Amino acid sequence: MCKGKQRQKNEPIQTDLFIGLEKPDDSERDGSPDRGDAGVELCSRLRRQQTLTNNLLDQIADPANVIQAYRQVARNGGSPGVDGMTINELKQWLNTNLNQLQTSLLKGTYKAAPVRKVDIPKPGGGQRMLGIPTVTDRLIQQAIHQKLSPIYEPYFSPYSFGFRPGRNAGQAISQASQYVREGNVWVVDIDLEKFFDKINHDRLMHRLSKVITDKRLLRLINAYLKTGMMQQGLCEQRTAGTPQGGPLSPLLSNIVLDELDRELHKRGLRFCRYADDCNIFVRTRKAAERVLRTLISFIETKLKLKVNRSKSGVRRSDEVTFLGFTVLSDGGIRVADKSTKRLKDKVREITKRNRGVPFSQLLDELNTVIRGWSNYFRLANRWLSNLRDIDGWIRRKLRCYRLKQCGRIYTTYKLLRSLGVGERKSWNVVMYSQGWWSMSRKMAVSQSMNPMWFARQGLHSVYLRMNPKT
């Protein structure tokens, strides 16, 4: 039976009923007096929550919820799983098999298919393993997510920003900037080694069972966790991890790492977490080193996860890359060097001179990249002048590509003449240049294919999109 008692200021609520999911009230954050019946109210609320999950699978398998899940899966798109069924084929399959699917879920006879293993390159080097479920399994996982997320979401930390409705990386960066402006310039940068591949199934299922009382649903989630991974016809069984690629994995990862959030809250630490990327902000190096040492012990002993010691460490904020940004010592925000390099790598890939695609198509592809990149990094408010250099470099890459399209000396000469370059200057450019890259920086070329010319062709400017007031 739950009994209320007076708690000391800032003492976290403790309950064995809903371990790690109790929602802190405002009194814990501002230090105001606590009500004596807070513990009773909390336990009562949590018991009601458990009662609501007794038949949760019935709500998940409800046709209306499944149809809503299909619409979301269709919006997300994605490639087929091991059975080859596409998103378009799923709609037809669902029209004739919805009742059968519902019955198999409720009777516990539904069998999850293996996921298709795909390795993709990571931006910093190495490979990231994705597990692509079949579209049917993606549908069911999305249906589960739609019912589980409203249950867990209210109890997650306000400083957790990844894979949550209404939250994004920009909010995490803004929070980090605020911490630094308050004087917390030392960052404990925690890197979890292959986090999604190393989630402990037993600990995760134990945490889920504290909230979910529908045993059928727990068995279904456990089946998804243990589903094999198939590559080149061979199926490899899994004893840990929840592969990235399914709709349920992000929510499960937040449930696992909410335990870390709670520990950081309990210690009174300032932090931002986006999925498995977590930064803690403190005032002194000595305090940061102590936090790092104790957190490594907590993560590896309690959470059964592995900290990558070579990537984790204590650094000043202006030495840390967090979600592609760097927060300067005064709280200013700039684009991290690695992010700029990745943009340039993508531009190089698009503007390869041997691609042989029309110039207009090349501009469309570049504009897509520029729009996406500038929208993500729009929070940056320092070092924006560096983006002028990127714009200039992109234009030179495009000049080089356009000149090479001409192929021959006379055709190149005709292009320059059509751009308004004088006859003599045009001949000098084509006769005395050592290669297309050298030709692209000739004054006659850069003046005729100037920023206004590129603007008329429709090319976006990185600098102007990031600094629209200019």
Side-chain angles (χ1 to χ4, degrees):
M1 186 174 177
C2 294
K3 295 182 180 181
K5 68 176 183 177
Q6 187 75 22
R7 291 184 291 112
Q8 298 296 319
K9 185 172 87 171
N10 291 333
E11 179 186 352
I13 299 172
Q14 296 294 336
T15 174
D16 292 333
L17 177 65
F18 218 10
I19 294 177
L21 286 171
E22 58 276 10
K23 184 180 180 181
D25 57 27
D26 291 335
S27 65
E28 290 185 325
R29 285 191 285 270
D30 61 16
S32 58
D34 227 358
R35 296 193 308 268
D37 60 352
V40 173
E41 289 186 3
L42 174 67
C43 289
S44 175
R45 184 169 73 247
L46 298 182
R47 288 193 188 282
R48 287 197 302 271
Q49 187 69 78
Q50 281 197 320
T51 302
L52 293 174
T53 65
N54 283 338
N55 297 299
L56 193 55
L57 189 59
D58 295 83
Q59 300 176 41
I60 290 168
D62 183 88
N65 186 56
V66 174
I67 295 301
Q68 181 185 347
Y70 165 77
R71 291 173 181 150
Q72 184 60 49
V73 170
R75 280 194 295 268
N76 292 341
S79 56
V82 295
D83 63 354
M85 183 186 293
T86 66
I87 295 291
N88 292 334
E89 293 169 336
L90 176 63
K91 182 178 182 180
Q92 182 178 354
W93 180 90
L94 200 58
N95 286 334
T96 57
N97 292 277
L98 179 56
N99 291 336
Q100 181 181 345
L101 176 64
Q102 182 184 30
T103 301
S104 64
L105 287 172
L106 295 178
K107 289 186 175 181
T109 58
Y110 180 83
K111 300 295 182 185
V115 297
R116 181 167 61 88
K117 182 179 179 181
V118 178
D119 293 320
I120 62 172
K122 296 172 68 174
Q127 297 286 319
R128 174 178 285 116
M129 181 179 67
L130 296 183
I132 309 299
T134 64
V135 289
T136 309
D137 283 329
R138 296 212 293 272
L139 172 74
I140 297 170
Q141 288 190 32
Q142 179 62 35
I144 295 172
H145 184 281
Q146 288 169 182
K147 292 301 179 181
L148 283 190
S149 181
I151 294 173
Y152 282 93
E153 183 62 31
Y155 296 95
F156 286 151
S157 166
Y159 305 109
S160 162
F161 298 92
F163 307 133
R164 297 182 60 190
R167 290 175 173 268
N168 54 52
Q171 294 169 335
I173 294 301
S174 295
Q175 183 64 67
S177 174
Q178 179 180 331
Y179 288 147
V180 173
R181 288 197 304 271
E182 293 169 353
N184 303 285
V185 297
W186 286 96
V187 178
V188 181
D189 189 5
I190 299 289
D191 185 89
L192 298 178
E193 186 176 297
K194 296 183 178 179
F195 165 70
F196 283 90
D197 304 334
K198 294 184 180 294
I199 290 176
N200 185 285
H201 288 173
D202 292 337
R203 292 199 84 257
L204 174 55
M205 291 307 302
H206 177 70
R207 286 179 63 76
L208 290 172
S209 68
K210 292 290 182 180
V211 180
I212 301 170
T213 53
D214 191 329
K215 303 298 183 183
R216 301 168 301 171
L217 176 56
L218 290 172
R219 285 193 292 269
L220 179 59
I221 294 175
N222 190 51
Y224 276 126
L225 290 175
K226 298 188 181 303
T227 297
M229 185 167 289
M230 184 172 289
Q231 187 177 42
Q232 297 179 345
L234 299 176
C235 189
E236 173 187 348
Q237 293 303 311
R238 292 185 292 117
T239 58
T242 170
Q244 300 178 71
L248 195 54
S249 291
L251 176 60
L252 296 180
S253 71
N254 271 334
I255 292 172
V256 170
L257 289 177
D258 183 66
E259 200 168 356
L260 173 61
D261 297 343
R262 303 260 158 212
E263 179 68 15
L264 296 174
H265 274 295
K266 187 172 73 174
R267 298 186 186 190
L269 295 169
R270 297 168 176 82
F271 72 95
C272 295
R273 183 177 65 80
Y274 191 96
D276 58 331
D277 200 348
C278 184
N279 280 359
I280 300 105
F281 297 80
V282 296
R283 290 183 177 273
T284 67
R285 183 184 186 97
K286 184 176 180 180
E289 289 172 345
R290 181 175 63 251
V291 169
L292 176 63
R293 184 171 59 252
T294 56
L295 280 182
I296 288 176
S297 175
F298 173 81
I299 291 169
E300 296 188 341
T301 304
K302 184 75 181 292
L303 302 187
K304 308 299 182 184
L305 298 170
K306 182 70 174 174
V307 175
N308 187 332
R309 285 170 169 77
S310 64
K311 294 184 178 180
S312 302
V314 171
R315 305 172 181 93
R316 291 188 65 87
S317 66
D318 54 10
E319 300 172 337
V320 175
T321 297
F322 183 43
L323 303 178
F325 293 86
T326 293
V327 180
L328 303 177
S329 56
D330 62 354
I333 302 169
R334 76 172 181 90
V335 179
D337 295 337
K338 291 180 180 178
S339 302
T340 302
K341 180 181 181 301
R342 284 197 287 271
L343 171 63
K344 296 181 76 171
D345 288 343
K346 187 64 179 177
V347 171
R348 287 189 184 97
E349 181 183 341
I350 292 174
T351 58
K352 285 181 179 177
R353 280 169 263 167
N354 59 356
R355 288 193 65 200
V357 302
F359 192 65
S360 58
Q361 178 181 331
L362 204 73
L363 292 177
D364 288 341
E365 293 179 19
L366 273 178
N367 282 338
T368 299
V369 171
I370 291 171
R371 280 195 301 267
W373 193 90
S374 57
N375 286 342
Y376 180 82
F377 289 105
R378 64 184 182 275
L379 276 179
N381 53 27
R382 300 294 174 82
W383 295 24
L384 295 181
S385 59
N386 291 357
L387 301 179
R388 293 182 185 271
D389 296 334
I390 293 178
D391 275 338
W393 176 79
I394 290 174
R395 289 193 295 267
R396 186 176 176 192
K397 294 286 289 183
L398 288 171
R399 290 187 196 107
C400 187
Y401 185 91
R402 183 66 186 89
L403 291 169
K404 189 176 186 300
Q405 275 189 317
C406 297
R408 296 186 301 175
I409 290 177
Y410 185 70
T411 313
T412 307
Y413 165 80
K414 294 289 288 183
L415 170 66
L416 294 176
R417 294 288 289 132
S418 70
L419 294 173
V421 181
E423 180 178 354
R424 181 168 181 172
K425 286 185 177 180
S426 296
W427 280 121
N428 285 339
V429 168
V430 298
M431 297 301 295
Y432 299 105
S433 296
Q434 297 178 337
W436 303 109
W437 186 243
S438 172
M439 189 184 299
S440 67
R441 71 172 181 178
K442 294 289 187 179
M443 185 171 292
V445 175
S446 60
Q447 287 180 344
S448 59
M449 295 183 185
N450 56 31
M452 292 184 63
W453 183 85
F454 278 108
R456 289 195 297 270
Q457 308 308 307
L459 178 67
H460 291 321
S461 162
V462 179
Y463 175 77
L464 292 179
R465 286 187 62 86
M466 295 282 287
N467 196 18
K469 295 180 181 180
T470 301

